[in-house]
Amino acid sequence: MFLFKLLVSSLLSFFILLLLKLIYRSTHSSQEHENPPPSPWKLPIIGNLHQLSGNQRSLGRLAKKHGPLMLLHLGSVPVLIASSANAAREILKNHEPMFLDRLASTNIRKITYNFKDVTFSPYGEHWTHAKRIVVHHLLSHKKVLSYKKVREEEVTLVMDIIKESCGSLVNFSELLISHTNNVFCRVALGRKFERKKVKSLIELSVVMTVLIRFEDYMPCLSWIDKLRGLDSTLENHLKKIDEFLEGMIEEHLHKSYIVDEEERFIDVLLEHKEDDDTTSFHFQRDDIKALLLDSFVAGTVQPFSTLEWALSELLRNPKTMKKLQEEIREFAQGKPKVIEEDLAKLEYLNAVFKETMRLHPSPPLIPRELTRDISLMGEIRPAMELTRIKYCLMGYDIKCGTKVFINTWAIGRDPTLWDEPGVFKPERFLSSPIDYYGAYFELIPFGSGRRICPGIQYSKAINEITLANLVYKFDLALPNGEKPKDLDMSESSGALIHRKNNLFLVPTSSSF
Ligand code: HEM
């Protein structure tokens, strides 16, 4: 009996000791060695997926509660959300080398021909070479200047269409996306493409990048992807896109439509198919298609979306529209149109675009991926030191492989950075040094650092000349006596946000 009691009490003590040790280890390891960023509560298996209805907005709401550096779990995948200028600076500048990779997914791998583009290519040799080619042969300052004639001709065509439609309802969304696509196709590919075909191609490729697959986030449920026919839908989309790109290349190789001798971006890509002595780097057919698609989508959708939002905000804010028209009309008075040489002097126009991209950055989330375990930002915490309590900054521990989104949409609406953040007020930039070239983290619509967007000059050039001429030559009104404040400003969902619904306006020739 005594022996039995002894055995029971020793076993009990052993288990209690074991339990205490486990509790000690779990609390101490998480306090001393692991300090993850704050996270909202999550559900088993799906994690925080159910809290993400409407991406940048819902992420912004969650960040208000959990802080500017927040860790979510999409299924089993950790995702870090940075929602303040400081958090963005930490990632894009202070710890840049660890955040140079892009977030990847199965769909993105497929649509980029295995990451052969620039945007989603991992940081490395292919990215360096491909970005250099894109910058040098498509988007450099010199190249952008050389597209001046094309821009001016295409702007004139848009003005002619509007002139013919004065007094009637015009779908400005359609008009503007055709315009940005026409300019891009002429400068990069040497000819325009049929609008309908291009539109569905662009829509397909944008949709594909954001389609969530169980395979990527909850591998145990990947059978659902098959059940809902995701693979065959994807293969169908990919086939259409591939056929279009193949056609583009073949047609170009036979040069049936080239009207001038200018070297186009597509020529450069095709030339790089041969071995290049200086770099011993050459493109395969898939690299060329990936780079064409990458720049084709960005070159069309991005400037379009900014133009469409700028126009929408101006329609919603008639005083701002009036001020912009006054600036341009006063300056260009007597001229048949605004020319590119005038643009540098139009300060308010410049401020209108900054303000547009503060409120409507497209993309609203900048995707990156962490390539090493690191400690970031953190909070002041008490720590015992012999006889006194010392306060120290304890960084948040973030694991290698964590996906990252910088929520530029939320940063642009942060009330600690911007006075009346929801109000469209270009004036805030008139006496401010803030620009969008990546040095001011409160305004980073084009990102920052080594992976910054190479299309800033290109977009600035096409957007400013188009908007300046539009509001110089025409007065624009909402249809059916709709009040400016009632203009629908719903955003599309997806990686690149534009208006959810087309912008219909009634133009009249200005009588100034
Ligand atoms: C208003 C217009 C545009 C906006 C707001 C915009 C925005 C962005 C953003 C936020 C990034 C990610 C930057 C980062 O990770 O730090 C990016 C990357 C990129 N953009 Fe743009 N973009 C625009 C126009 C264009 C145009 C016109 C092109 C080309 C024709 C272009 C090509 C690219 C490429 C190739 C990248 C990937 C760069 C890299 O990963 O190294 N973008 N853009």
Side-chain angles (χ1 to χ4, degrees), residues 105-117 120 201-210 234 237-238 241 245 286 289-291 293-294 297:
S105 71
T106 308
N107 288 356
I108 291 174
R109 177 172 59 71
K110 291 190 175 194
I111 198 171
T112 57
Y113 296 84
N114 221 0
F115 306 117
K116 292 291 196 277
D117 63 338
F120 291 101
L201 174 88
I202 291 173
E203 276 166 7
L204 287 183
S205 42
V206 175
V207 164
M208 274 177 60
T209 53
V210 290
L234 204 72
H237 288 354
L238 282 173
I241 291 170
L245 294 167
D286 280 358
K289 287 189 275 186
L291 290 170
L293 185 63
D294 193 19
V297 174

Side-chain angles (χ1 to χ4, degrees), residues 92 102 118-119 127 131 134 138-139 184 294-295 298-299 302-303 306 357 362-363 366 368 445-448 450-455 458-459 463:
L92 298 175
R102 277 271 181 243
V118 176
T119 303
W127 173 82
K131 187 158 186 179
V134 170
L138 180 68
L139 301 168
F184 180 82
D294 193 19
S295 47
Q302 306 276 65
T306 307
M357 286 191 274
S362 174
I366 299 180
R368 299 283 183 103
F446 295 99
S448 177
R450 270 172 270 184
R451 292 210 80 147
I452 195 170
C453 174
Y458 178 95
S459 307
N463 282 351

Side-chain angles (χ1 to χ4, degrees), residues 77 201 204 329 445 460 478:
V77 179
L201 174 88
L204 287 183
R329 289 173 183 178
K460 184 170 154 57
L478 293 169

Side-chain angles (χ1 to χ4, degrees), residues 100-295:
L100 283 168
D101 266 3
R102 277 271 181 243
L103 176 155
S105 71
T106 308
N107 288 356
I108 291 174
R109 177 172 59 71
K110 291 190 175 194
I111 198 171
T112 57
Y113 296 84
N114 221 0
F115 306 117
K116 292 291 196 277
D117 63 338
V118 176
T119 303
F120 291 101
S121 166
Y123 185 68
E125 202 193 344
H126 174 84
W127 173 82
T128 310
H129 189 72
K131 187 158 186 179
R132 199 179 304 137
I133 300 273
V134 170
V135 169
H136 195 72
H137 295 284
L138 180 68
L139 301 168
S140 69
H141 186 60
K142 197 170 147 209
K143 276 279 170 194
V144 171
L145 277 180
S146 76
Y147 306 147
K148 176 174 175 260
K149 187 166 159 272
V150 173
R151 275 189 301 267
E152 290 189 343
E153 280 173 11
E154 290 299 323
V155 168
T156 306
L157 287 178
V158 171
M159 297 302 127
D160 289 347
I161 295 173
I162 301 177
K163 205 167 157 192
E164 277 168 27
S165 321
C166 269
S168 47
L169 201 59
V170 177
N171 183 343
F172 270 75
S173 301
E174 275 290 320
L175 193 66
L176 293 177
I177 197 165
S178 297
H179 170 59
T180 55
N181 186 254
N182 287 341
V183 172
F184 180 82
C185 288
R186 280 187 64 186
V187 304
L189 311 168
R191 73 123 161 154
K192 301 187 201 179
F193 281 87
E194 194 204 327
R195 168 80 194 100
K196 259 192 191 154
K197 209 168 177 182
V198 168
K199 190 179 176 206
S200 62
L201 174 88
I202 291 173
E203 276 166 7
L204 287 183
S205 42
V206 175
V207 164
M208 274 177 60
T209 53
V210 290
L211 256 183
I212 288 192
R213 294 169 76 96
F214 284 100
E215 181 187 342
D216 292 328
Y217 295 99
M218 290 162 266
C220 63
L221 298 180
S222 61
W223 51 272
I224 299 180
D225 293 335
K226 292 205 173 54
L227 214 66
R228 61 178 177 153
L230 205 62
D231 280 327
S232 54
T233 315
L234 204 72
E235 290 312 320
N236 257 335
H237 288 354
L238 282 173
K239 198 164 162 262
K240 279 188 203 150
I241 291 170
D242 191 70
E243 274 169 14
F244 181 78
L245 294 167
E246 278 291 339
M248 201 187 256
I249 293 174
E250 280 305 314
E251 195 183 38
H252 193 81
L253 285 172
H254 297 108
K255 294 203 184 264
S256 52
Y257 58 87
I258 295 294
V259 288
D260 58 37
E261 290 304 306
E262 290 265 314
E263 186 184 55
R264 306 289 175 197
F265 181 55
I266 190 166
D267 297 316
V268 176
L269 293 182
L270 290 170
E271 274 161 26
H272 268 69
K273 221 169 155 280
E274 311 301 327
D275 266 322
D276 176 339
D277 288 345
T278 50
T279 58
S280 73
F281 197 100
H282 66 278
F283 289 135
Q284 309 287 335
R285 189 87 161 190
D286 280 358
D287 301 275
I288 297 173
K289 287 189 275 186
L291 290 170
L292 281 177
L293 185 63
D294 193 19
S295 47

